[in-house]
Amino acid sequence: MKNRLCITPCGAAKIWDRHPERGGVPAKEAYISAFGVACHTYADTFFNHWIILSAKHGFLFPTDIVPENYDLAFNSGSPDIITTEALKQQAKEKELNTFDEIFVVAGQKHIKVVREVFGTDCTYRFPLQGCKGIGYMLQKLKKAVQENKEIDHA
């Protein structure tokens, strides 16, 4: 059995958008967009190891605390986006570079970042590649969880 890691996106909608009074929360509770929740549910259902990739905080385990609201995306051009070098350091510190297969359950901007960080030392899988939009991605993720059948990634 291969050692697998699933990487999911964070998302623009966060718990503080609905509950601004909240303090820090675990990463798996911080991101509340329909797509982000569907990705996290999928990862939690089919993977022993999964993380969230944030443009601000980098790689977050589901239990890592996100201290407060922020608005930052990988394609925004902001100087506040975490650097590839910082992500590589996090990957080393969090032992994410020990996995044989990396599944990226996210869109193209996250796929690009993941490839830059992990290079060619692993096998990549992109279960949502080929979907024509976020609606199709959501359908695919929800169906997989409902049927308890991982998305075909051959």
Side-chain angles (χ1 to χ4, degrees), residues 140-151:
K140 207 171 196 180
L141 291 165
K142 288 179 180 181
K143 181 180 180 191
V145 171
Q146 286 170 349
E147 295 179 357
N148 198 29
K149 186 175 184 286
E150 199 170 327
I151 297 169

Side-chain angles (χ1 to χ4, degrees), residues 131-143:
C131 289
K132 294 181 180 172
I134 198 161
Y136 292 99
M137 291 180 188
L138 274 168
Q139 282 181 330
K140 207 171 196 180
L141 291 165
K142 288 179 180 181
K143 181 180 180 191

Side-chain angles (χ1 to χ4, degrees), residues 83-115:
T83 65
T84 301
E85 288 309 310
L87 286 168
K88 286 180 180 181
Q89 184 62 35
Q90 280 186 352
K92 185 177 178 183
E93 289 169 2
K94 294 185 177 202
E95 299 181 350
L96 304 178
N97 54 358
T98 63
F99 291 90
D100 303 316
E101 285 186 304
I102 296 179
F103 289 71
V104 184
V105 181
Q108 287 301 320
K109 62 186 171 189
H110 284 80
I111 289 172
K112 181 179 182 259
V113 171
V114 169
R115 283 185 183 272

Side-chain angles (χ1 to χ4, degrees), residues 36-98:
V37 169
C39 290
H40 302 160
T41 301
Y42 179 85
D44 200 38
T45 301
F46 297 109
F47 292 85
N48 291 328
H49 307 283
W50 66 279
I51 56 170
I52 299 165
L53 178 53
S54 159
K56 180 172 178 80
H57 301 290
F59 295 116
L60 296 167
F61 289 117
T63 55
D64 286 346
I65 300 298
V66 179
E68 60 192 7
N69 203 0
Y70 65 94
D71 185 16
L72 196 61
F74 280 110
N75 60 353
S76 69
S78 170
D80 297 328
I81 295 171
I82 191 165
T83 65
T84 301
E85 288 309 310
L87 286 168
K88 286 180 180 181
Q89 184 62 35
Q90 280 186 352
K92 185 177 178 183
E93 289 169 2
K94 294 185 177 202
E95 299 181 350
L96 304 178
N97 54 358
T98 63

